[in-house]
Amino acid sequence: MRARFGAFVLDDVAKRVFRDGRPVHLTPKGYAFLEYMARQGRRAVSKAEIVAHLWPGTFVSQAALTSVVKELRQALEGEAGAPRVVRGVRGFGYALCSDPICLPEPRAGLQEASPGVPGGAHLLEYRVLCQAHEVALSEGINLLGRVHEAAVWVDDASVSRRHAVIRVEGRRATIEDCGSKNGTFVGRERVVGPRELAPGDEIWLGRARLVLLSYEANVPTDPLRSPDVADPDLLH
């Protein structure tokens, strides 16, 4: 399972949590708590259920769970303030602050984009997660809407036929509304002009939610050949 919580990605294969491509240190119990909550969606889970999962067959006080949640919040949320990942449910237990976004496994030869990946040339591929489907975006203009020729076809009555466009230029992606009836939003901010996007951004077309994903292929280069020299086989 791979799931995104805002800027965080939980990778069940690696048993790690990443923020903007960099690992976040969690204790084993902290990771186990977050993984279990990710599998529950936004369902509020009782303290007794969580304790039984984290410490099976062992009696521990609920203070131990409180300590795990505190450690997790400090690692993921930093300074004290309104919870952004896990919230307490008074007199009951805990719940996630937002729906985790399930991510597909990267295709062979691709990895989730992160800065500073060593070696070779790096090609960034943008995709959109839409209604449980992942759609690759091409270089240039990609139409989002309810017309079948749209690059990302969104089957929702609140979406205009030609709702918005995402323009991909190299490693940069921007979105622009096309005069839609119900508006285009990135998070809670309405798009009123070309707006730059970042991986993990939630895009709302009316009531339909999309998520921008990015993957980066590490393409090895031949250090013995200068890219400025033409291939001799192509000269004849």
Side-chain angles (χ1 to χ4, degrees), residues 18 79 102 104-105 120 123 137 142 173 176 187 206 208 211 214 222 234:
F18 299 88
E79 298 179 359
C102 292
E105 295 297 328
L123 303 178
L137 301 179
N142 298 266
E176 188 170 359
V211 181
S214 68
D222 185 351
L234 300 178

Side-chain angles (χ1 to χ4, degrees), residues 29-30 33 47 50-51 54-55 60-74 86 93-94:
K29 289 298 184 188
F33 171 80
K47 293 180 180 179
I50 299 171
V51 167
L54 295 183
W55 293 277
V60 297
S61 69
Q62 291 188 354
L65 176 58
T66 301
S67 178
V68 170
V69 174
K70 181 178 179 181
E71 170 260 318
L72 181 72
R73 284 175 170 166
Q74 287 177 340
V86 178
Y94 297 94

